[in-house]
Amino acid sequence: MPLRNRSELATKFTYNPHNETWQTHKVRVVVDKKPFAQGGMRVCMKLYELEDSGDFVPCVAKVFKKETNSKEYFDEALTQMAAECFAQEFNKLKTKWKVSFLPVNVMMLNERNGQLCNVEPLLLGDYVKHNDNDGNVETSEQLPQAFTHFTWEASRHMLIVCDIQGLADCYTDPQIHSIDGQSFGRGNLGQHGILKFFKTHKCNRICQALKLPPTDRKIADRQV
Ligand SMILES: [Zn+2]
């Protein structure tokens, strides 16, 4: 069946950082029935958003596996947008290294009892996870680890952006651990998460090139 005939109504929530509100508008989408991937907490379905031009834009819709508060979806999107702000700060350093996070919004599928999902563009290729939210380093890539360290300095020791994963240097699904443990959704493990990162982080040549202060031993040696 042509995609157009399978389309359904959805409400798209897009965050406006200038007045800190979510703006809504109606869109038509087609959602694949079966997930094509899943993470620890969410499943991923392909979603196609119908544009005014008549084209369908391929996206990924992520839905929590467990019944969850609607706030979780908005927190996930805000976390990824906050991470992108740090990516833009990082890119302003004008080094040869650039990072970015995918743009993300929240959608409500009106014809499915208002099911919510997080939606971002679909990138084709192999997703790689570089570090997690519990201090584990999962690849030998230096940029993701240096970026997480950078966020600690750029935030004036208020938070780190971790759980760095994605396609090449374009990331998605980050977690943010903040000193006060507030905001940024369920994945915010607060100081515990920050300490876990610094326990395993070894400054690499990118950290050095960025002149990031070496990992504070007082942080790294603290008991967690
Ligand atoms: Zn470092």
Side-chain angles (χ1 to χ4, degrees), residues 26-37:
K26 299 282 192 258
V27 292
R28 293 207 68 85
V29 298
V30 174
V31 187
D32 271 2
K33 285 202 178 74
K34 287 188 180 162
F36 72 96

Side-chain angles (χ1 to χ4, degrees), residues 10 16 24 27 57 67 77-78 85-86 113 130 139-140 202 207 215:
N16 182 340
T24 61
V27 292
V57 180
E67 187 96 6
L78 287 171
C85 290
F86 283 100
N113 292 326
H130 299 287
T139 65
S140 57
K202 292 188 177 63
C207 298
T215 307

Side-chain angles (χ1 to χ4, degrees), residues 145-146 149 197-198 201-204 207-208 212-215:
Q145 316 308 331
H149 186 174
F197 170 76
F198 281 113
H201 179 65
K202 292 188 177 63
C203 279
N204 58 45
C207 298
Q208 288 154 7
L212 298 176
T215 307

